[in-house]
Amino acid sequence: HVQLVESGGGLVQLGGSLRLACQASGNTYSYNCMGWVRQRPDSEREGIAAIYTGGGTTYYADSVKGRFTIYKDNAKNTLYLQMNSLEPEDTAMYYCAARLCWHADYNYWGQGTQVTVS
């Protein structure tokens, strides 16, 4: 069993920064890829960043590349998403997710944290 708990969301002004955190617990051998997925109002979920926990390889969607950084503190078993230069289009519910890298879909999800950019 794996639990993912996000924190760090909130209201931020245009151009501001936020850092999201995802505390993982449980059977950490159940996954080796973690990522952040967001869902904007009236839109489908969008995978915006991912990291291979075994080696640190990262992936970013074009919409956030150069502004967001995903990284993991293995000692704390916590995944982070540093978000800079935030835009109104970044307003969304942000979810932390995990899977084995060879699986197509994430199978562990957090409850989500809301980010609103005004």
Side-chain angles (χ1 to χ4, degrees):
H1 182 63
V2 174
Q3 280 192 318
L4 304 172
V5 180
E6 301 98 332
S7 60
L11 177 64
V12 64
Q13 290 188 335
L14 174 67
S17 298
L18 277 177
R19 189 180 74 163
L20 305 183
C22 172
Q23 177 68 58
S25 61
N27 185 2
T28 57
Y29 293 101
S30 298
Y31 58 89
N32 55 4
C33 275
M34 298 186 76
W36 292 94
V37 178
R38 70 183 181 188
Q39 187 163 22
R40 291 179 276 197
D42 300 322
S43 297
E44 293 184 354
R45 287 186 175 182
E46 173 192 16
I48 57 169
I51 187 168
Y52 168 53
T53 61
T57 303
T58 56
Y59 156 84
Y60 296 96
D62 287 343
S63 57
V64 304
K65 198 174 294 182
R67 300 187 299 122
F68 292 8
T69 302
I70 185 171
Y71 61 100
K72 188 171 183 288
D73 185 331
N74 287 326
K76 296 181 179 179
N77 212 18
T78 300
L79 180 73
Y80 296 96
L81 184 69
Q82 178 66 45
M83 305 186 295
N84 299 328
S85 303
L86 284 162
E87 305 166 350
E89 293 74 23
D90 296 316
T91 294
M93 183 70 78
Y94 285 72
Y95 298 91
C96 172
R99 61 182 170 91
L100 290 170
C101 292
W102 50 86
H103 287 180
D105 299 317
Y106 288 109
N107 50 347
Y108 302 109
W109 292 85
Q111 82 287 353
T113 186
Q114 177 68 38
V115 172
T116 302
V117 183
S118 63

